[in-house]
Amino acid sequence: MKNSKKSVFLEIISKKSSKILYQDNYVTAFRDINPKAPVHILIVSNELIPTLNNIKSRHKNLFSSFFLAAKKIAKKEKISDSGYRIVINCNKDAGQEIYHLHMHLLGGKKLKKI
């Protein structure tokens, strides 16, 4: 983690607790405390990046890790065949509540079309 600013996600990442479902050099995944689907997992960047608008070209490996983690977790959670949704909210009007880049992995039921 390259940024020393405080984030609730950084606290979870640094504790390396049993709540962590997946972790690599770039991302960490754990269950959302307010799930919107039977499977609702947050995949967060290990580096504090406030929003999608703050990414740089040096973050290319980060995005590979986001999507590879989502694929692995979906398979482990047994939703890869039935289907899942990936969402990244950017800023207030999109519903971003925690300003630390993260992806929502949702599944486990038929999701409404958007």
Side-chain angles (χ1 to χ4, degrees):
M1 287 156 275
K2 297 179 182 179
N3 198 318
S4 62
K5 292 181 183 178
K6 294 290 180 192
S7 157
V8 66
F9 292 163
L10 287 178
E11 291 176 26
I12 293 168
I13 293 164
S14 68
K15 288 181 183 174
K16 299 190 187 298
S17 75
S18 61
K19 294 180 181 183
I20 293 174
L21 301 174
Y22 176 89
Q23 190 167 46
D24 65 23
N25 290 334
Y26 300 99
V27 299
T28 299
F30 48 89
R31 296 193 191 282
D32 194 298
I33 60 169
N34 186 20
K36 306 295 186 217
V39 175
H40 187 167
I41 295 167
L42 297 177
I43 304 170
V44 305
S45 61
N46 291 343
E47 177 184 343
L48 178 55
I49 302 167
T51 74
L52 195 56
N53 291 337
N54 300 105
I55 63 168
K56 309 282 187 226
S57 60
R58 67 180 175 84
H59 293 121
K60 290 177 189 174
N61 290 336
L62 168 65
F63 282 91
S64 295
S65 284
F66 265 122
F67 289 103
L68 290 171
K71 176 186 167 186
K72 289 175 187 176
I73 295 165
K75 185 171 182 168
K76 184 178 177 185
E77 295 288 320
K78 297 180 172 61
I79 60 171
S80 61
D81 290 338
S82 60
Y84 56 95
R85 180 174 293 158
I86 294 172
V87 177
I88 299 174
N89 299 319
C90 184
N91 284 321
K92 182 180 160 188
D93 285 353
Q96 185 174 5
E97 294 176 358
I98 297 176
Y99 286 82
H100 183 142
L101 185 61
H102 60 284
M103 169 188 290
H104 298 259
L105 172 64
L106 302 142
K109 70 174 187 178
K110 186 168 175 95
L111 301 171
K112 293 180 183 178
K113 292 183 181 180
I114 55 172

